Amino acid sequence: MTKQEKVQFVIDTLEEKYPEIPIPLDHKDPYTLLVAVLLSAQCTDVRVNKITPLLFAKADNPFDMVKMTIEEIKEIIRPCGLSPMKSKGIYGLSKILIEKYNGEVPKSFEGLEELPAVGHKTASVVMSQAFGVPAFPVDTHIHRLMWRWNLTNGKNVNQTEKDAKRLFPRELWNDLHLQIIWYGREYSPARGWSLDKDIITKTIGRKTVLDEYYKGKK
C-alpha cells in the first residue's frame, strides 16, 4: 500500500465503525466543555463525567464559578487528580472570561491558549467540538495509534499533530480525531491489546510494532 492508500484505509475503516460519533465529555456549551476538557488531563472521561455534574450544579458559568473559592472547587474535583492546579485554572480562567470576554469563551486558539491551565490540546478540542473549527487535538491515544500505524515518526504530540494535519483532509479532522480515540479504546488499547481485533494495525502497522507483538505472543 502507498502512504495515501493507507490513509484512505484508516478513513474508510473508521467511518465504517463509527458513522455516528459520540462526544466523550458531557457538556452543554463552550464553557462547560472547556472546564471538562481541563479536568480530563491525566483522568478518564468516565470519571470526569461523574464529577462535572456535581461541579456544574453549583456553577455552570464563569459568573457563578468565581463566587466559589478555589478551595471549594478543589474539593469537588479532587477525584479527577491534579486538583490544586486544575482548581486554580478553572477559577482563574473564569475570572478572565468575565473581565475580558463578557463571560463568553473566546473563539480563537490565541484567546483560549492565553487562559490559565489551557494548553494547545485543550484549545483544539474546544475549537473543534464547541465551534466547529477544523482542529486535530492529539492526545496520548492518537499519538500511540499514529505511531502504530506508521503514519508518524513523531517523538511528541506536536509532531504527530503536524503529521495528522498533513495526511488527513482538513474537512475530516474534527470527526477523525474522535473516531481514532474511540477506535484506540475499543480495538487498540495500550494494554491487553489483541491484534486480531485491531484491523488497522494488522493491515498497515509499523513492522517493528508487529514484530514485537508477535514475539511477545510466542
Side-chain angles (χ1 to χ4, degrees), residues 71-142:
E71 200 54 45
E72 285 170 328
I73 298 169
K74 188 167 86 176
E75 275 309 304
I76 297 171
I77 67 168
R78 193 182 295 281
C80 290
L82 306 176
S83 57
M85 182 198 79
K86 290 177 182 176
S87 54
K88 281 181 193 154
I90 292 168
Y91 184 89
L93 69 82
S94 301
K95 208 160 180 292
I96 291 170
L97 292 182
I98 294 166
E99 290 165 0
K100 199 171 174 181
Y101 299 102
N102 229 4
E104 298 292 319
V105 175
K107 294 183 182 180
S108 73
F109 284 97
E110 298 74 26
L112 285 164
E113 287 179 35
E114 281 173 0
L115 298 171
V118 176
H120 180 65
K121 193 208 108 184
T122 298
S124 296
V125 173
V126 173
M127 289 299 283
S128 70
Q129 290 175 24
F131 302 127
V133 174
F136 210 110
V138 172
D139 64 3
T140 51
H141 302 290
I142 293 178

Side-chain angles (χ1 to χ4, degrees), residues 5-18 172 176 179 200:
E5 285 169 339
K6 288 178 180 179
V7 167
Q8 196 55 52
F9 177 73
V10 170
I11 293 169
D12 293 344
T13 305
L14 293 174
E15 189 53 46
E16 186 192 314
K17 290 194 179 295
Y18 304 102
L172 298 181
L176 267 172
Q179 288 170 320
I200 298 180

Side-chain angles (χ1 to χ4, degrees), residues 168-187:
F168 294 114
R170 185 180 169 85
E171 66 273 14
L172 298 181
W173 290 355
N174 287 356
D175 284 351
L176 267 172
H177 89 264
L178 285 172
Q179 288 170 320
I180 294 173
I181 287 170
W182 287 115
Y183 183 90
R185 289 177 185 178
E186 207 168 339
Y187 300 102

Side-chain angles (χ1 to χ4, degrees), residues 26 44-55 80:
D26 298 337
T44 64
D45 293 346
V46 172
R47 180 165 287 178
V48 173
N49 288 338
K50 285 180 181 166
I51 297 303
T52 46
L54 309 175
L55 180 63
C80 290

